[in-house]
Amino acid sequence: MRAFATALLAIAVTAGAGGEPATAAADWSVSGLRPVGQPIEAGGVAVAYVVRDRHLYAQGIRPGNGTIIWEREVTPSRQTVGIELTPHKVGDKVTFLEPRSQRGPQWASLVIVDAATGRVEQSSPPALFRTVPERCFDDRAACAMATTDAGGKMRGYRLDVATGAFTPYPVALPTTARVIGEAGLHDLGGRPDERIALVRDGAIRWQRPLTDAFPAGFSTSNGWNWTHFRADGVFAGSVFGPGERTATTVDFDLAPVSASAGLDEKTGAVLWRDAGSVVACAIGVPLPYEPVRCRVRGREHVVFDPLQITFEDLDVTLEGFDPRTGKTRWSVPAGASEQLAGGLERAAVAGEHTIVVELGSGHRMIDLTDGAVTVPRKDATFWCLEVSRFTFHEGYAHPKGTAERFDREGGNIATACDAAGKPVGSGRPPAGASRAVGAVAGGYAVVATADGYQGIALAGR
C-alpha cells in the first residue's frame, strides 16, 4: 500500500520490463466500463474496481475473454483519503468492504469472497472501517482497523477465513495507528513521539521511534512510501520533512525534506539511512519491488485545487541500491526530470523492469536491474499510467474542516503511448509491460484502461 499526505507524493506512475518490439493487437477488449485501478489476480481470475453512477463495484473478469462473471458493491467506509482504493488477496480469495447503508453512511462489512464466483464466504458484522482489509495471520484472515460503535475507538480486527469469526486483535493498537506498508508495517501515531511498528498476527512484533531512522521533524504526516523486499527481509522506504505551507500552497526544498532508510523485518533494526533520496522516486518509478531511489535537489512549488506542480533548479539522479545495506549499485544522471521528481507528467512502462523517462538527451529506456540506458525505437509502444480520480456518492469531512467532499483516488489507469507519453491509436505495448502493469491470470495479462479492459495473451511472448 502506498499513501501520500502531500502533493509531493500524490503521483503514481508506470513501470515495466524493457526493449521488446510491440506485440500484435490485444486478444480481446471490453469497453463501456470505468475502471479505477489495475486488476489483481486471485483464484485464477482478474478482480478490479469500477465506478458507475458514483458507486464503486468489484468485478471478477474471466482472463481468456474479458467476460464479467460477477460484481459486488464496495465502499471505502472511513478509509483515509489519498490511499488508493484497490481489492486485496487473502489466499486465493479477495477481500474488500461491502456497504451496509441501512446502518447509515460509511457503514460496511468486511467480506471474504470466492474470486472465481463472487460468492461471499465470510462477512463481518456492520462496522466503520478506517483501513482497507488486507491479508494477515499467514493468509488465514483479513485484518482492518474498525469500530463496531459509531462513537467507539478504532481498533484492529481480524475476520477468519475458515470460521468467519470477527475478533479484535489480542493486543489493542493505539487508536491513531494506521497501515503505511504491506506485510504489517504500521505508524502507531502519536505526535511528536511518532513510532513505526510491525504488526503481525494481531500483536506488535517490534516498534521504534521514527527518529531512529529519520531526521527530527520528519513524519508520515508529510507523506510516506515503503516497500517490503521479502527476499531480503527488509522494509525500505521514505518519510518526509515539512514544507513551507499556506492554506493553498506548499513549497519544498527537496534535498533537506527527503530521506530513505532500511529496517530489518525481523527486529526493526535500522540497517541504513540515506539523506536526500526518495525510494521509488516519489513513485515516479512505480515498480514497487525494484530497489531504486532518486537523489533529488532543487525546489518544488505545489498549488492545490486545481493541482499544479512546478520546479526550480531541479537535479535528479536515479539509483539502484542494495536493500540490506543501502549501498548504491548503479546510478543514472537524470537532470531536471520532473517525472522522477514527482511531477504531473508520468513516465512510461517499457517492460517488467524497464521504464521510459525523458532525460537531458531525450526519451530513454532505463533497465532498473543494472541502470543500462538505451534509445527506444521510434515505432515502439508503451503503457502510460495516470492516477484514477472519481466522485463517490458518500462524502467525507476534509481534514482542514472545509465543506464535505466527494472526490476519491483509485489506482493507475493505462493508456497505450509512445516514448513521449502521447496516446497512440495502433500497436500494443510489449507483453512484458502488460505483465508489469496488469494482472496475470490464465495465461493473459489483463490491463485496465480508461474505458474498460484489454487482455493480452502471453503464450510465446
Side-chain angles (χ1 to χ4, degrees):
M1 179 183 297
R2 294 179 292 278
F4 305 97
T6 72
L8 169 71
L9 302 171
I11 312 301
V13 282
T14 63
E20 306 163 60
T23 62
D27 292 336
W28 57 259
S29 63
V30 174
S31 60
L33 301 168
R34 190 185 168 193
V36 297
Q38 292 303 315
I40 64 169
E41 182 280 330
V45 303
V47 180
Y49 287 169
V50 298
V51 65
R52 185 173 64 249
D53 298 328
R54 306 209 313 174
H55 287 252
L56 194 64
Y57 300 90
Q59 292 184 332
I61 308 150
R62 183 168 290 126
N65 56 22
T67 300
I68 307 302
I69 53 180
W70 59 265
E71 179 179 277
R72 303 195 71 90
E73 191 168 359
V74 175
T75 177
S77 190
R78 290 187 176 174
Q79 178 183 331
T80 303
V81 174
I83 297 178
E84 65 185 46
L85 294 168
T86 56
H88 288 264
K89 289 180 64 170
V90 182
D92 60 354
K93 309 178 192 305
V94 290
T95 181
F96 46 82
L97 303 176
E98 278 198 335
R100 295 293 180 259
S101 54
Q102 67 273 21
R103 288 291 303 270
Q106 300 180 336
W107 283 86
S109 288
L110 189 164
V111 295
I112 296 172
V113 175
D114 184 326
T117 65
R119 182 175 65 88
V120 173
E121 297 191 346
Q122 306 294 355
S123 178
S124 78
L128 295 167
F129 290 85
R130 186 182 179 192
T131 63
V132 294
E134 294 185 306
R135 61 187 179 187
C136 55
F137 292 85
D138 296 324
D139 269 348
R140 301 192 310 275
C143 292
M145 294 287 291
T147 176
T148 56
D149 182 350
K153 294 181 178 180
M154 293 283 176
R155 66 176 303 171
Y157 280 88
R158 63 170 284 177
L159 178 65
D160 190 87
V161 172
T163 68
F166 187 63
T167 54
Y169 286 175
V171 176
L173 298 180
T175 58
T176 51
R178 61 182 172 185
V179 176
I180 59 172
E182 63 179 343
L185 194 65
H186 281 62
D187 163 26
L188 296 184
R191 302 294 187 270
D193 301 320
E194 192 169 346
R195 302 185 72 82
I196 193 167
L198 181 67
V199 179
R200 291 265 174 88
D201 297 340
I204 298 174
R205 298 303 181 189
W206 52 255
Q207 60 176 297
R208 66 174 48 257
L210 189 69
T211 51
D212 283 2
F214 295 94
F218 278 47
S219 171
T220 59
S221 295
N222 302 320
W224 72 80
N225 184 34
W226 288 93
T227 298
H228 179 214
F229 293 99
R230 187 184 303 272
D232 298 285
V234 174
F235 291 102
S238 294
V239 174
F240 300 88
E244 303 166 14
R245 297 177 181 273
T246 70
T248 58
T249 67
V250 59
D251 285 272
F252 300 99
D253 186 354
L254 291 172
V257 302
S258 303
S260 304
L263 305 179
D264 184 81
E265 181 179 4
K266 290 183 179 180
T267 67
V270 179
L271 300 174
W272 54 268
R273 305 172 186 82
D274 189 78
S277 67
V278 182
V279 169
C281 306
I283 56 175
V285 177
L287 292 171
Y289 302 110
E290 296 292 341
V292 296
R293 62 193 175 204
C294 278
R295 201 162 299 283
V296 290
R297 290 181 174 83
R299 294 195 65 87
E300 179 180 18
H301 178 66
V302 180
V303 178
F304 300 106
D305 208 16
L307 181 63
Q308 301 174 52
I309 300 178
T310 55
F311 296 90
E312 295 178 8
D313 302 321
L314 181 63
D315 185 61
V316 180
T317 300
L318 176 65
E319 299 178 347
F321 68 92
D322 183 296
R324 283 212 65 88
T325 68
K327 292 182 178 180
T328 300
R329 288 173 165 167
W330 53 262
S331 65
V332 174
S337 174
E338 296 187 5
Q339 294 168 310
L340 294 180
L344 292 176
E345 184 181 349
R346 310 294 191 253
V349 182
E352 288 180 282
H353 307 280
T354 308
I355 59 172
V356 179
V357 178
E358 184 175 7
L359 304 180
S361 54
H363 292 92
R364 296 291 184 265
M365 295 196 304
I366 303 176
D367 187 328
L368 301 180
T369 62
D370 58 10
V373 178
T374 56
V375 178
R377 294 169 13 138
K378 291 183 178 180
D379 62 346
T381 304
F382 310 102
W383 285 121
C384 284
L385 301 182
E386 65 176 325
V387 175
S388 171
R389 294 180 174 86
F390 62 97
T391 302
F392 191 65
H393 71 101
E394 289 181 347
Y396 61 90
H398 193 266
K400 298 186 183 303
T402 57
E404 188 177 33
R405 298 182 61 168
F406 298 85
D407 52 305
R408 288 282 180 173
E409 188 171 293
N412 290 322
I413 295 299
T415 301
C417 62
D418 62 17
K422 297 179 181 179
V424 296
S426 60
R428 287 291 181 269
S434 298
R435 284 194 293 266
V437 169
V440 176
Y444 286 77
V446 182
V447 176
T449 64
D451 68 345
Y453 305 112
Q454 292 189 12
I456 298 91
L458 298 176
R461 298 179 183 174

